[in-house]
Amino acid sequence: MLGVLSGFFVVWAIILVGMFVGRRGILGENARSVLSGLTFFVASPALLFETLGKAHLHDVFAAPLLVTAVGSIATGALFFVIVKFGLKRSLPESLMSSMSASLANAANLGIPISVFVLGDASYVAPLLIFQLSFFTPSYLMALDASTSSHRTTPLRFLLMIVRNPMIVGTALGLLVAGTGWQVPSLIMEPIHLIGGAAIPAMLMAFGMSLNGSRPLQKDGGRRLDSLLASGFKLFVHPLMAYLFARFVLGLDGHALFAVVVTSALPTAQNVFVAASRYNTGITVAKDTVLITTVVAVPAMIGVALLLT
């Protein structure tokens, strides 16, 4: 337990540094976007490549991936039914709200949590793989089909997936792990150094994003939707993962702890990007991202206390 709490302390310490740096404007107005771009396009793919290159493939593709898929789909489907038939929202808005309740921030917060709390970045790999290669494209294709604009072909979605630097880094790392190839140290050393920048840069950019965040300031008739989506993401999603992992797959110990903690990650920021693109569910997406982002770490500490 002390090790888990120490990991969360490290995460929050770097987040607070990011909040301070952002509030004081030490790195300038574009610091957050620069740090986010650095982590997404350069540092995180390097970190994932190095980490997964040393992983055992059965640990990545076996139970954790299945738990991730079942937990995410069950949470999203249940919330969609509630919003569509209980709250009587439109189909596109219901899809966006469902996305807000089930799509996790696997990169910006998931990777640091995996490293500092779970002890290995590979624990977040199943979540990244599932969301980037299947879950997110499925939602976007459904949104395309339910709106009159932004029609996108499956080929375009496939290109979006293979061009994603996170997927590229993950795929190359898994290829190295699967073949057993030993990458020469001359190549791995710069990759290791670049990957080392991912976590502090992510967490500081995350801390900067919290400055001035005030969800639920304007109701717009969707306050209930936002609160329900936040509750589903922080509590129902990890509960679904726990029930399936514990009682269907029989997981326990650190393996169970890892899949539940990753399921409790906050809503991904790209949900708001998608809401803006399709001009639907914007209020719910924005508020859910903000609420879950602020509450996620305390919620995961609660999960840690219950499971350890």
Side-chain angles (χ1 to χ4, degrees):
M1 172 55 66
L2 182 60
V4 171
L5 295 178
S6 298
F8 279 116
F9 174 80
V10 172
V11 168
W12 263 114
I14 302 175
I15 290 172
L16 291 174
V17 170
M19 291 181 66
F20 174 78
V21 169
R23 186 179 296 273
R24 298 296 298 272
I26 294 173
L27 300 180
E29 295 181 357
N30 298 321
R32 178 187 166 194
S33 61
V34 171
L35 287 176
S36 297
L38 172 67
T39 58
F40 183 80
F41 290 101
V42 183
S44 291
L47 177 64
L48 289 169
F49 172 78
E50 180 184 16
T51 302
L52 293 175
K54 304 173 184 177
H56 300 290
L57 293 186
H58 67 273
D59 293 333
V60 176
F61 286 105
L65 185 61
L66 184 59
V67 173
T68 294
V70 171
S72 299
I73 293 173
T75 302
L78 178 58
F79 194 72
F80 175 83
V81 171
I82 292 173
V83 175
K84 181 71 175 70
F85 301 104
L87 299 180
K88 307 295 184 182
R89 308 305 184 204
S90 67
L91 178 58
E93 185 176 357
S94 299
L95 287 167
M96 187 56 62
S97 295
S98 173
M99 192 176 183
S100 300
S102 58
L103 195 70
N105 187 341
N108 292 348
L109 201 54
I111 294 175
I113 291 293
S114 290
V115 171
F116 287 117
V117 177
L118 303 178
D120 194 330
S122 64
Y123 283 112
V124 80
L127 184 61
L128 278 168
I129 293 169
F130 173 71
Q131 289 192 163
L132 292 174
S133 62
F134 174 77
F135 205 44
T136 302
S138 296
Y139 267 118
L140 297 181
M141 290 182 72
L143 284 165
D144 271 353
S146 61
T147 57
S148 58
S149 60
H150 297 107
R151 299 290 181 182
T152 306
T153 64
L155 177 60
R156 184 177 176 184
F157 275 115
L158 179 62
L159 292 175
M160 287 170 58
I161 293 170
V162 299
R163 289 174 181 172
N164 188 298
M166 295 282 195
I167 285 289
V168 173
T170 297
L172 292 177
L174 293 174
L175 179 63
V176 170
T179 59
W181 180 51
Q182 294 294 321
V183 182
S185 59
L186 186 64
I187 297 175
M188 282 305 305
E189 187 61 26
I191 292 175
H192 172 74
L193 291 173
I194 293 171
I199 293 172
M202 275 181 204
L203 291 176
M204 284 195 287
F206 176 72
M208 292 176 186
S209 71
L210 297 181
N211 287 317
S213 298
R214 294 183 177 87
L216 304 176
Q217 291 298 298
K218 295 181 179 180
D219 189 353
R222 295 297 183 267
R223 179 167 293 179
L224 177 60
D225 304 53
S226 299
L227 291 173
L228 284 174
S230 300
F232 263 69
K233 186 66 206 73
L234 294 174
F235 303 108
V236 176
H237 192 176
L239 177 61
M240 293 283 192
Y242 172 80
L243 293 174
F244 182 77
R246 181 70 183 88
F247 297 107
V248 178
L249 299 182
L251 296 184
D252 57 12
H254 193 70
L256 177 63
F257 176 67
V259 295
V260 175
V261 166
T262 53
S263 297
L265 288 166
T267 301
Q269 286 96 333
N270 59 352
V271 172
F272 177 69
V273 175
S276 300
R277 178 193 176 194
Y278 291 98
N279 194 31
T280 186
I282 295 176
T283 299
V284 176
K286 179 190 68 175
D287 286 352
T288 304
V289 168
L290 292 177
I291 293 170
T292 59
T293 294
V294 172
V295 181
V297 173
M300 285 186 283
I301 292 175
V303 170
L305 291 172
L306 290 173
L307 295 180
T308 57

